[in-house]
Amino acid sequence: LKSAVKYTVAGDARDHPVRPTRGHLWRLRSELALGADQMMACFFKQEAEVAGAHFLAEGVTLAVSGKLGAILPLGTVARGDSRGTSIADRFFLGGVGSLRGFEPHGACPSDQRRAPKNPEAAAAEGYCARDAVGGDFLAVGFAAIQLEPSFQK
């Protein structure tokens, strides 16, 4: 159970929100969760994100972005708990919009999954032996050269 307040402040000076060719974006997100008892999540989560686009030539853009984040448990109960923060509040990487080429939540810490009752059936269904558990810290960087084809109609 979680009772939280989340706040986002951002500045966007890009020429287009989806495929910018010029400009920059910055965003800060803060989340504070406080619980009245030991069963409720208590933490402070902070994320900072920056992105920029630079026009190189007609139809060619350099795009760069970065993101940092941390989640810190609050209170003596949370800090003394060997499990740490809740899996639902942690950072994950992988999938479209996060880290292409990886399954959703596929590029983050994982843990051994319990053995299935029927290993043969599980293997036939593409059973994965690990579960993504996420992390308490996040650091991501991205750089790309984007080409805009100029097709004539």
Side-chain angles (χ1 to χ4, degrees):
L1 189 58
K2 175 169 87 169
S3 177
V5 175
K6 185 183 255 189
Y7 184 75
T8 302
V9 61
D12 191 350
R14 299 175 297 176
D15 60 351
H16 193 274
V18 179
R19 288 198 45 126
T21 57
R22 293 178 173 84
H24 62 276
L25 163 81
W26 61 269
R27 185 179 300 137
L28 296 173
R29 276 191 203 104
S30 299
E31 182 176 1
L32 177 63
L34 297 173
D37 62 22
Q38 295 180 7
M39 299 304 292
M40 295 181 75
C42 294
F43 64 85
F44 178 71
K45 186 175 185 179
Q46 182 70 50
E47 296 177 61
E49 180 179 356
V50 294
H54 182 69
F55 177 81
L56 297 177
E58 188 63 37
V60 181
T61 304
L62 171 66
V64 295
S65 66
K67 189 175 186 179
L68 296 172
I71 182 170
L72 305 169
L74 298 176
T76 56
V77 174
R79 285 194 299 265
D81 190 349
S82 62
R83 294 173 296 165
T85 55
S86 170
I87 193 169
D89 298 315
R90 294 181 188 157
F91 296 102
F92 292 89
L93 276 178
V96 176
S98 171
L99 189 60
R100 293 181 185 175
F102 287 88
E103 291 290 324
H105 299 172
C108 59
S110 63
D111 197 7
Q112 188 70 33
R113 183 178 282 181
R114 280 187 247 150
K117 293 181 181 179
N118 186 343
E120 293 80 24
E125 295 175 6
Y127 172 76
C128 178
R130 301 196 66 80
D131 281 323
V133 295
D136 289 346
F137 299 97
L138 172 73
V140 180
F142 172 80
I145 301 235
Q146 299 174 343
L147 304 174
E148 185 74 34
S150 56
F151 295 115
Q152 299 291 327
K153 289 187 178 183

